[in-house]
Every structure is written in C-alpha cells, then in structure tokens.
C-alpha cells in the first residue's frame, strides 16, 4: 500500500499527528512522533518576519525543504506551494514537479477550493499527491478571522471540501474553522481533515512547531504552548555569558 493510501486508511481509527518543520535538526526530532511534517510557508512570518506568507518564494521553500528532507526517515513530508506559484494548472505542474524533484518530498499543499480544483486534478494525474487547505487562507485572506460564521461561508467550505476530494486531494487542512462545521466536513469526507484551530473533530491536528514550543512569543487562541523554550534558551545563554565573563569557559576540557 502506498504511503498516501496507508495514511488515508487511518480515517476514523487513529488521529494523525502533524507539525511544521523548517530545518533538519527539528525535523529529525519530529520524525519520531509525527505522521506528517509540513514545510509550511508560515516560515515567512516565523523565520523571516514577512508581513504575509505571500512573500515566500519557491526557492526559499525549496531550500528549507532540502534541509528538512535530511531529517526525515518515516513521516510523510509535504511542502507548501508558495503564493503565485500555482495560478493555473500549467504553472502549478511545472513548479510542483520542481519541488518534488529538488526536495524529494511526498506531496504538496495548495490553498483554496473550487478555483484550484482543475489544478489539483492536473497534479494528481501527474502522480503528485496533493493536500488541500480550506478555512482561513493566509495566502489570500485580507483579515484573519475564524471561518463558518454565516451560511454562505459554511456552504462554500462544505462545497469546496467535496470538490477538492473529487479532484483527488488526500487530505485537507482546515484552518480556523468553527467547531460544528469542522465536524460536519470531516464526517462528510472519505479523505482526512487536519485541523489547526478547527476543534478536536478533525482526523488529525497540525501546529506550527515554533508555536508549540513557545519559541514564537505571539499567543494565538488555537495554540497550546507545550513548552516555554524561550526560558530554556535564556537560562543557557545567561550561564554561557556569565562563564565567558568570569573566564570559566572554555575550561581545559573544552580546549585543545
Ligand atoms: O504554512 C503553514 O505552516 C501551514 C499550517 C499552519 C497548516 O499552512
């Protein structure tokens, strides 16, 4: 069974654990505990301080993905297609092929619904596994608010999820989707939903790793900080600084 079919077969059985990674060392730790590792274009704001993910280029995501690839042995590795790299099926195929070839990833992720279905079909026909992304869409939304507040938003998300499934995606990230809608969408699909800020009813969960460990100082409602790594780093650097100033580091053991 292919890696993709295997992960879909876990629907309604075991939850899918997923996180983002942007580099080898982090990926090599996450690989032990995750099913899917995403090289997300969130790296634009997390690492580069860009105002939006729209500024992330194909080359940047490819270079980070090459690093992440070196840290992964077993997890499914998915790479975000940056904004303006999949405006039509032809452009998407050319760029997705480049991502697959250069990074040896297992698939790509695209944001959007109805508009991108023809593109998804083209990629899938060319044996490129695709993960969809609905709800809050950082590449195109002007304001970042949760989705599913009114009938129109709800109906669009339900329709888009079904169209994406038909087009061949193996899973859909649901970002900031209201609880009952995320539950409904998850129930209505045979493929996986991976939630971020979209309740416990999704088939799996994803978080930005820097948020989970508390490296990112910003607080979001949908993030639970499982560690405060900034404190650990501060303590280590304070000790290092003290020892350097007192001429205690390096000692004999650290010298040649
Ligand atoms: O770019 C990203 O990291 C993402 C996740 C938040 C799902 O798309």
């Amino acid at each position: 069974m292919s890696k993709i079919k295997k992960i879909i077969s876990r629907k309604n059985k075991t939850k899918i654990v997923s996180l983002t990674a942007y580099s080898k060392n982090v990926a090599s730790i996450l690989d032990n505990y995750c099913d899917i590792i995403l090289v997300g274009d969130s790296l634009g704001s997390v690492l580069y301080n860009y105002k939006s993910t729209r500024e992330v280029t194909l080359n940047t995501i490819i270079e980070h993905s090459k690093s992440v690839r070196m840290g992964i042995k077993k997890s499914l590795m998915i790479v975000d297609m940056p904004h303006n790299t999949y405006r039509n099926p032809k452009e998407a195929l050319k760029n997705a092929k480049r991502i697959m070839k250069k990074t040896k990833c297992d698939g790509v992720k695209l944001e959007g619904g109805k508009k991108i279905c023809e593109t998804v079909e083209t990629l899938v026909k060319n044996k490129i596994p695709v993960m969809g992304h609905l709800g809050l869409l950082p590449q195109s939304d002007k304001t970042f608010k949760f989705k599913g507040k009114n009938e129109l938003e709800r109906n669009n998300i339900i329709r888009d999820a079904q169209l994406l499934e038909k087009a061949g995606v193996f899973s859909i990230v649901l970002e900031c989707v209201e609880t009952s809608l995320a539950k409904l969408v998850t129930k209505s699909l045979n493929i996986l939903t991976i939630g971020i800020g979209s309740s416990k009813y999704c088939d799996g969960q994803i978080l930005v790793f820097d948020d989970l460990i508390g490296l990112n100082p910003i607080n979001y409602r949908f993030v639970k900080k499982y560690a405060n790594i900034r404190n650990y780093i501060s303590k280590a650097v304070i000790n290092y600084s003290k020892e350097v100033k007192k001429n205690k580091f390096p000692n004999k053991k650290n010298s040649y």
Side-chain angles (χ1 to χ4, degrees), residues 72-90:
I72 299 184
K73 288 200 184 99
K74 66 158 197 50
S75 310
L76 208 62
M77 177 180 159
I78 304 298
V79 175
D80 253 340
M81 291 197 72
H83 180 60
N84 279 350
T85 65
Y86 55 98
R87 287 169 291 190
N88 55 65
K90 197 174 161 210

Side-chain angles (χ1 to χ4, degrees), residues 20 22 38 40-42 80 109 133 173 175 196 206 208:
T20 62
Y22 312 133
L38 171 73
D41 60 2
S42 53
D80 253 340
K109 175 163 82 62
H133 187 145
V173 165
E175 182 162 353
I196 175 161
I206 186 164
V208 170

Side-chain angles (χ1 to χ4, degrees), residues 2-4 6-7 10 16-18 27-37 68-78 106:
S2 75
K3 257 176 145 181
I4 298 288
K6 211 167 167 184
I7 201 156
R10 285 176 49 189
I16 309 299
V17 179
S18 183
S28 69
I29 302 170
L30 306 190
D31 191 39
N32 297 306
Y33 313 104
C34 283
D35 303 300
I36 301 175
I37 294 179
V68 167
R69 178 74 274 169
M70 290 187 268
I72 299 184
K73 288 200 184 99
K74 66 158 197 50
S75 310
L76 208 62
M77 177 180 159
I78 304 298
D106 298 294

Side-chain angles (χ1 to χ4, degrees), residues 101-143:
K101 191 172 171 208
K102 296 245 177 206
T103 73
K104 311 272 182 288
C105 66
D106 298 294
V108 293
K109 175 163 82 62
L110 276 63
E111 291 183 14
K114 196 174 174 204
K115 261 198 205 157
I116 62 155
C117 282
E118 201 192 327
T119 296
V120 171
E121 275 172 21
T122 302
L123 299 187
V124 173
K125 261 188 209 144
N126 282 275
K127 299 194 172 22
I128 299 175
V130 180
M131 179 183 241
H133 187 145
L134 291 175
L136 198 157
L137 304 178
Q139 288 182 7
S140 51
D141 283 354
K142 300 271 180 302
T143 54

